[in-house]
Amino acid sequence: MAPSALYALLAVAAASVVLAQPDPAAPTPLYDKHYKYPNEIPYQVDPNTAAIRGPQIGYNQCNSTTENQSSLCQTSFINHIDDFCLWAPSKPNSTIGDTEGQEVAWCTKHGHGTRLIPAGALKGVQFIRTPDYIQIAGFIDQTQINIAASDYGGELDPHGADLRGNPLGGLMYSNAFPSTNTDNNSYAQVSDWTNFMGGSAFCAKACDPAGKTPGAFCQNIYDRLGCEYNAPNNAKNGTFEVCEGDNMTPPGIYTSSGHTMTYFQPPESLGPITTVPYTASVPASSNCVTYHSTDLYQSLPTPTGSAATTGKPGSSPSSTRSASAGGAAPTSNGASAVGISSVATIVGVLFAMVFLS
Ligand SMILES: *[C@@H]1O[C@H](CO)[C@@H](O)[C@H](O)[C@H]1NC(C)=O
Ligand SMILES: *[C@@H]1O[C@H](CO)[C@@H](O)[C@H](O)[C@H]1NC(C)=O
Ligand SMILES: *[C@@H]1O[C@H](CO)[C@@H](O)[C@H](O)[C@H]1NC(C)=O
Ligand SMILES: *[C@@H]1O[C@H](CO)[C@@H](O)[C@H](O)[C@H]1NC(C)=O
Ligand SMILES: *[C@@H]1O[C@H](CO)[C@@H](O)[C@H](O)[C@H]1NC(C)=O
């Protein structure tokens, strides 16, 4: 099947399984809110106090005044390996599942008006540029960004059951896309993105707004399948690298006996996902350049708590490990992710459809 037909199909299929309903008190989906950076960004994009989930907890106008470790800035960036933000809780020892609507931006670089990821918390990071998106994946001491040590986490994304986003009002921008950054100083709003946090790992994708089918590469309907299916990668613990890569096959799409199939994640009411009919493959990458973390991340706050004694802040971890950054998985049930590859019986209903090529 021609790729364009495949993406169109995926878009139709995706629309049919998204059961999200806008909250009447906050009817405009976050996905439809567009603001040029920085002048059009309102103080809060979702101040709706009458909505079921309440207003967003933070704000979107972020500057030097708001930049400290109590910042509630909810405007995020993915620019490069030395300049990106992750969504994480505002209060220590929280789970992503309990706080998905309230995450704030934690960044690697000063200047975005946000909290900063403490020195040494990042243990390995891979930044990949593909034709249609950029992806960042890696390993982190998640307790340094307020995520409980045992939390397998889940997905943050610009949709959610009420279409207000998780976090509510969370915006994302990037200067990484040449088509929208002709002067090296222009940020494009990224409307199609995903960020899995948890299991001491993370992955995030920002789809090029001017790229091919950004909604297909940055799907938000596979939130229980983690990085392994949404951002397949070969990030290594202890390695900091920038690579070029091919586009992945959009999440959910696979081939079986020559037929292109679409898999849909079963509803949570059917229990843990114990098997998925395909294994996502890691797209080819090349031209990887490695860095020392100390050269990438500078002037970051000192880690808090016991983790401060486990390594010299900012130092590059010496050991490497070849597992991919894929720990982050389900929002509400960490156990189901762990079971994906280890249990052979089908418990969930797999909505697979056959399309002739
Ligand atoms: C900085 O951001 C805060 C919070 O959004 C806002 O109240 C303030 O007006 C901003 N300051 C400047 C100088 O833009
Ligand atoms: C962080 O900045 C805010 C806004 O300027 C301020 O109210 C708060 O006290 C600061 N917190 C810390 C820990 O510096
Ligand atoms: C984090 O919270 C859990 C559950 O509430 C608790 O058992 C644990 O002691 C807390 N850990 C820290 C470091 O506060
Ligand atoms: C943008 O930055 C790149 C890399 O530093 C440089 O090669 C290029 O010339 C810059 N373009 C402009 C228009 O300044
Ligand atoms: C990554 O390596 C560090 C040592 O540098 C280790 O403390 C941490 O547990 C490792 N993370 C994972 C997810 O294996």
Side-chain angles (χ1 to χ4, degrees), residues 77-86 108 122 124-129 133-139 172 194-197 201-206 227 231 233 235 240-242 296-297 325:
F77 297 84
I78 301 181
N79 293 329
H80 214 305
I81 190 170
D82 63 348
D83 187 7
F84 66 92
C85 312
L86 300 172
T108 62
L122 291 167
V125 179
Q126 180 187 57
F127 177 89
I128 289 202
R129 174 186 290 280
Y133 59 86
I134 51 174
Q135 172 178 298
I136 194 130
F139 298 86
M172 185 170 291
T194 185
N195 177 198
F196 286 80
M197 298 298 303
F202 62 89
C203 60
K205 269 189 345 204
C227 296
N233 68 82
F240 294 80
E241 64 179 2
V242 175
L296 296 173
Y297 311 115

Side-chain angles (χ1 to χ4, degrees), residues 174-189 208-210:
S174 180
N175 63 14
F177 303 115
S179 58
T180 43
N181 186 10
T182 46
D183 58 1
N184 277 351
N185 196 30
S186 300
Y187 284 96
Q189 185 177 354
D208 187 342

